Amino acid sequence: MRNVAAVILAAGEGTRMRSSLPKALHPICGKPMIKYLVDNIRSIGIKNIIVIVGHRSNLVKKELDGVECIKQDKLLGTGDAVAKAKTALLKDKKIDSVLISCGDVPLLKPETLKKIIGRHVSTRSACTLLVSTLKNPTGYGRIMRSSNDRIAKIIEELDASIYEKVVEEINVGVYCFNKDLLFEALGKIKPNNKKKEYYLTDTIDVLARSNAIVDSVSTDDTEEFLGVNTRKDLIEAEMVVRRRILDRLMRRGVSVIDPNNTYIEEGVEIKKDTIIYPYTFIDSNVKIGSECSIGPFARLRSGTVVDDGAGIGNFVEIVRSRIGKNTKVRHQCYIGDTVIGKGVNIGAGTIVANYDGKRKNKTVIEDNAFIGTGTILIAPVRIGKGAITGSGSVVTRNHNVPAGKTVVGVPARILRKK
Ligand code: UD1
Ligand code: CA
């Protein structure tokens, strides 16, 4: 794919989201919408990716570290947006084809992108479109074919006559263009339509008239091209992605007892023979080993690592922490900024007070320690190997418990054996 570049159109305001966050950055299962497309394009081997940004472009740029972002100051239409990438793309002589997609179709699969490009290359067309047939095509550009079934042009909803509106074949909004022909055609389009915009889709008419081949790949997977325009669309996309994540985990040997009530974000690693019980929430950037038991009602937040054989039970919240091999944190606990060793037992209701109002402080609990029920550990503090805290003890900051010792009380003191 070294001769293919990609352009993602994401300058639109996304007014219908009613949000101060740019649409492209709304998260779906913990990952900004635009990143799904960027990652999928990268996954098929395309390195040269340009994102056209507009509304609050700095925020988008920051999130897309390493991707070229070009600003479109005035939203003059999708044709104008693509034209913004002209200088960058013409400069790169290796590139002969350009994949173009709207930024708000996060569910597009890499296989589909590959198919469009593959078809485009094998038929040597000027443009290959992704099309579909919908019983209700409202809102989409309609594909107009000539008598010999060739694609002749695309008519946008607003500009369509009642005869054109009944056409059920639609433009999904994903294209592969021959680079030179694309920019030549873009130079010829005019904003003579209801919206007074430069439509990228008008290049199809220009190309077809010049007898260039306009080809298509068809998809009947409507879920795949769900366009996210409203909060409702966003949640629909979230449900699809959530299910895809769980399916992927199950294929890899993880048991998810109740997929309808399990919330695992993108960027979570779980090894085989681990069981996830219902109402568990696992954020991005969490790693879980094999043969663990998680939930029900557990919440694992970013930066958490759970080693093999560990057990995390109900109403346990863990953040930025490591839970060692075979360690158990079974009931009603909060663990933050803590490194816990192997074979530790954390009693019911244990709380790590990691935040002192200014700073988040670290706690260490070494191998085989036994933390009694209702213990409060005020960070920073260290519990030595095999040490024990009595029920209800409050271990105050910097009052480390030496290995093998038992502490009890408030504040916790070392218990001297008589
Ligand atoms: C577009 C297509 C339509 C297709 C539909 C699929 C055109 C003219 N029409 O319509 O045929 O069926 O997508 O969803 O292309 N954008 C910019 N700069 C602009 C305008 C838009 O970057 O000046 C971006 C938007 O952020 C958005 C995308 O381009 O991601 C599509 O723009 P939008 O105006 O929503 O086009 P549609 O009306 O959906
Ligand atoms: Ca749209």
Side-chain angles (χ1 to χ4, degrees):
M1 297 278 181
R2 247 185 290 143
N3 53 346
V4 184
V7 177
I8 300 174
L9 308 181
E13 281 184 54
T15 342
R16 281 173 289 166
M17 294 293 288
R18 297 190 180 274
S19 173
S20 47
L21 189 70
K23 183 161 95 173
L25 296 187
H26 276 266
I28 296 173
C29 292
K31 173 164 141 176
M33 176 167 22
I34 186 106
K35 277 210 166 164
Y36 283 86
L37 205 51
V38 169
D39 288 352
N40 286 343
I41 291 171
R42 276 202 183 124
S43 79
I44 61 167
I46 296 177
K47 293 212 175 71
N48 191 336
I49 304 175
I50 295 172
V51 179
I52 307 298
V53 293
H55 181 60
R56 308 197 71 192
S57 59
N58 287 341
L59 291 176
V60 183
K61 274 185 192 165
K62 220 160 88 197
E63 196 60 53
L64 291 178
D65 204 22
V67 175
E68 184 173 3
C69 292
I70 298 178
K71 180 122 195 249
Q72 183 193 21
D73 284 313
K74 283 203 191 110
L75 300 183
L76 300 178
T78 47
D80 178 70
V82 174
K84 293 284 175 255
K86 182 174 172 178
T87 318
L89 289 176
L90 291 186
K91 205 169 60 194
D92 194 338
K93 300 287 182 239
K94 287 191 306 290
I95 299 300
D96 52 37
S97 306
V98 186
L99 178 75
I100 299 176
S101 172
C102 299
D104 56 3
V105 280
L107 304 180
L108 264 185
K109 290 182 181 153
E111 301 91 84
T112 307
L113 298 175
K114 245 182 168 164
K115 214 161 126 188
I116 300 167
I117 297 167
R119 170 102 186 178
H120 182 75
V121 170
S122 70
T123 58
R124 297 172 185 225
S125 25
C127 177
T128 307
L129 304 160
L130 183 62
V131 301
S132 186
T133 301
L134 298 180
K135 278 275 157 286
N136 177 11
T138 310
Y140 288 95
R142 309 296 206 284
I143 306 291
M144 299 297 151
R145 291 186 183 260
S146 59
S147 47
N148 60 7
D149 210 34
R150 288 246 168 129
I151 295 175
K153 58 178 163 185
I154 298 175
I155 306 277
E156 293 304 313
E157 172 83 26
L158 270 182
D159 307 299
S161 68
I162 52 167
Y163 304 106
E164 289 161 337
K165 276 189 182 150
V166 297
V167 171
E168 293 179 342
E169 191 179 14
I170 59 106
N171 169 29
V172 168
V174 185
Y175 325 73
C176 189
F177 278 92
N178 170 288
K179 180 177 84 175
D180 295 328
L181 294 177
L182 166 67
F183 289 112
E184 211 181 294
L186 275 178
K188 293 181 183 157
I189 61 169
K190 297 201 172 62
N192 47 11
N193 48 57
K194 285 258 169 65
K195 274 172 124 181
K196 306 240 175 320
E197 285 187 355
Y198 290 89
Y199 288 164
L200 173 63
T201 44
D202 280 349
T203 59
I204 302 305
D205 181 42
V206 174
L207 292 170
R209 274 174 202 276
S210 71
N211 281 323
I213 304 173
V214 178
D215 198 8
S216 61
V217 165
S218 182
T219 170
D220 51 15
D221 183 359
T222 52
E223 178 184 280
E224 199 185 353
F225 58 86
L226 172 90
V228 175
N229 293 305
T230 62
R231 302 272 179 170
K232 194 163 167 278
D233 299 333
L234 186 73
I235 296 313
E236 237 172 88
E238 169 118 2
M239 291 197 291
V240 173
V241 173
R242 188 186 300 150
R243 193 60 200 228
R244 284 185 187 172
I245 292 169
L246 297 175
D247 286 348
R248 194 168 63 213
L249 288 168
M250 288 188 275
R251 278 198 303 276
R252 291 179 185 168
V254 175
S255 283
V256 178
I257 301 295
D258 181 3
N260 289 330
N261 295 296
T262 302
Y263 303 83
I264 301 182
E265 292 187 342
E266 267 298 317
V268 171
E269 255 177 55
I270 307 179
K271 297 225 173 95
K272 67 174 185 189
D273 291 322
T274 282
I275 305 178
I276 311 290
Y277 289 95
Y279 298 100
T280 288
F281 294 74
I282 306 178
D283 293 355
S284 300
N285 188 27
V286 167
K287 283 189 185 146
I288 300 172
S290 63
E291 294 181 35
C292 295
S293 162
I294 312 289
F297 300 99
R299 180 171 182 216
L300 305 186
R301 292 167 56 200
S302 187
T304 294
V305 176
V306 178
D307 289 337
D308 297 350
I312 311 296
N314 42 264
F315 306 109
V316 172
E317 175 182 349
I318 303 178
V319 63
R320 295 180 302 274
S321 294
R322 176 157 204 139
I323 310 299
K325 200 170 167 180
N326 297 328
T327 284
K328 310 294 178 208
V329 191
R330 292 281 196 205
H331 329 274
Q332 292 109 324
C333 293
Y334 170 70
I335 309 288
D337 301 293
T338 302
V339 176
I340 305 180
K342 288 181 270 192
V344 171
N345 189 80
I346 306 285
T350 294
I351 302 289
V352 174
N354 59 327
Y355 183 54
D356 60 12
K358 289 199 187 83
R359 246 185 301 272
K360 292 195 171 121
N361 301 305
K362 303 249 189 279
T363 296
V364 176
I365 303 173
E366 294 180 2
D367 296 352
N368 302 315
F370 186 95
I371 307 299
T373 53
T375 295
I376 296 177
L377 302 169
I378 300 173
V381 75
R382 173 180 285 265
I383 310 295
K385 262 190 191 166
I388 297 171
T389 69
S391 294
S393 50
V394 175
V395 183
T396 47
R397 57 185 320 178
N398 294 319
H399 286 79
N400 298 342
V401 180
K405 297 290 184 200
T406 298
V407 295
V408 293
V410 182
R413 292 192 181 86
I414 294 174
L415 192 68
R416 313 246 171 236
K417 290 206 178 95
K418 286 180 192 128

